[in-house]
Structure formats: C-alpha cells, structure tokens
Amino acid sequence: MRVVCKMGREMLDLAGSHVKPGVTTDEIDEIVHKALIERNAYPSPMNYRNYPKSICTSINEVICHGIPDKRKLRDGDILNIDISVYYDGFHSDLNATYPVGEIDEESKKLIRTTRKCLDEAIKICKPGALFRDIGKVIEPIATANGYSVVRTIVAHGVHELFHGNPNIPHYAKNKTPGTMKPGMTFTIEPMVNIGGYGNEVYWPDDWTVTTADGKRSAQFEETLLITETGVEVLTAGAPLNI
C-alpha cells in the first residue's frame, strides 16, 4: 500500500503540474495513462463499471466523477483531479482541487475550507476511533463557512479492492458502524458545495455528478493507514498553497 500510494501521489502531482488555461482534461488523462503504463501500473478507473478514461476530472459545478474530454480549461475554473492506481495487487486513491489561472476569492475560500475539512478529519483517526465521527468533524467546518457537505457519495476502504468496506459518510449524525483498527486502509474525501446539499444531478453518462444550482464544488482525498499509535497518510503531498 505504501508503494502504490506513493505512486498515486506522484501521478497526482504530475497531473496537477499541467493544469493551466488552454489545456484539455483529455490531455491530462493521456499524460497520466502513459506514465502509469511506463511504471507497469494500471489506472484503476479504466473500464471500472464501464468508466471510459484513466482519471476523473471535475470542473467547477461537477462534484465528482467527471469524464475527461476536449473542453479546454479556462482562466478562473477550478478542477478536481482524482487519481487511482493499481500496482502489484493493490489500489491507491487520492484527489485534489486546483485553481486554473486566477480564480475568485469565493473559489479560493471553498478550496481552503474543503482541504481543512479533510485535514481536521484525519487528525481524529487512530485505533478505537469511530468511523461515524469523521462526519462530525467535517460538516461543522463546512457549515461555519456557509457551505454544505455532499451526503450521497461516501469515502471507502481501499486495498486489494478498489472500493470496499467501510463506507464512510462525511456528514454529522450519520449512523455508519465500525471502529478503526491497526492495519486498516481507507479514504476520506469530503465534497463541499457552495450551495446546499441534496441537489445533485446525475448525468446520463452514469458517472458525472453536478450541483443542480450550478454553484461550485470542491473535493480533496487521501488514502490513510491506521497504525498501532495513530494514522499515516499514505498519499501525503505538499501543503496546500492557495
């Protein structure tokens, strides 16, 4: 898991380095695909439940699972890139939201808030912690900033399976069962909307999820390992600077 998660971080950083106005998400997808094949790895999303690409690219009001295409990124967009890698029998999963050129202050605040939601949730992870308490940390941070947390899409176990137990909601007062134990690996990946929750729209492509009101959404994700004494962020990267 450490090896594949380190590779996942390398791929996300590579993808992020190409985010700028005029670049298409298809081009970023191709860059990551080629880099993975060169490393004898495989993009976990490709052909997963008929998903047609190697990465997910979610722009502006797209909450998650956007499919790369020929649309050129524009100055002022925000772009989430979600990378999942399969290597030597194990999967990693991580994502980040990037500014495209110069973005407005509301978008900067949304990105910073979403990252804080993830970072504060990671801090409570340790043996004996309850999975349902992750949402108890995340939702108050989002609502204090005037935002909402997506409830219909959850974090998950990741290891030899791309998606496995536990399923982890990001909102407070959820009833998900389970206690963290050493050796567990799973994601936390809050999706935070400028508008309200419960207004998600699912596109006919069976993957893309957007806000119904067209307001922006941001997301960050890491893969975590519960250790004997706490938590290790297997996909850790450089601190956010927005």
Side-chain angles (χ1 to χ4, degrees), residues 12-191:
L12 184 58
D13 289 347
L14 173 65
S17 71
H18 288 83
V19 174
K20 62 182 179 181
V23 173
T24 70
T25 49
D26 260 347
E27 290 168 342
I28 298 173
D29 179 79
E30 184 177 358
I31 288 164
V32 173
H33 182 90
K34 286 182 176 179
L36 284 174
I37 299 306
E38 287 171 359
R39 289 159 176 78
N40 200 32
Y42 189 85
S44 304
M46 179 166 270
N47 297 320
Y48 176 78
R49 297 182 178 176
N50 296 316
Y51 188 80
K53 298 284 185 170
S54 296
I55 64 175
C56 297
T57 51
S58 302
I59 302 171
N60 298 337
E61 76 277 12
V62 180
I63 295 170
C64 63
H65 304 153
I67 299 172
D69 60 22
K70 298 185 186 308
R71 177 196 184 277
K72 292 182 179 180
L73 296 174
R74 301 168 188 153
D75 190 65
D77 286 340
I78 62 172
L79 169 67
N80 179 273
I81 301 177
D82 197 331
I83 303 274
S84 304
V85 176
Y86 182 70
Y87 180 75
D88 199 23
F90 292 88
H91 297 270
S92 63
D93 199 0
L94 73 162
N95 73 53
T97 301
Y98 297 89
V100 181
E102 283 296 318
I103 63 173
D104 60 32
E105 289 302 317
E106 184 68 76
S107 296
K108 290 179 183 177
K109 179 187 170 189
L110 174 67
I111 290 172
R112 287 194 295 261
T113 299
T114 307
R115 182 71 227 192
K116 183 178 181 182
C117 286
L118 174 55
D119 289 340
E120 294 301 312
I122 290 171
K123 289 178 183 177
I124 72 161
C125 294
K126 61 182 180 180
L130 301 177
F131 286 112
R132 66 171 178 259
D133 286 347
I134 288 173
K136 189 189 296 185
V137 172
I138 290 171
E139 189 166 42
I141 296 170
T143 55
N145 285 278
Y147 302 141
S148 67
V149 176
V150 173
R151 295 180 169 222
T152 53
I153 304 159
V154 298
H156 54 90
V158 59
H159 30 72
E160 291 169 300
L161 297 175
F162 185 11
H163 294 97
N165 289 325
N167 290 319
I168 305 168
H170 298 107
Y171 59 90
K173 297 182 180 179
N174 69 79
K175 293 180 169 56
T176 197
T179 302
M180 298 177 200
K181 297 177 182 178
M184 286 183 170
T185 51
F186 56 88
T187 70
I188 302 178
E189 47 184 296
M191 290 141 276

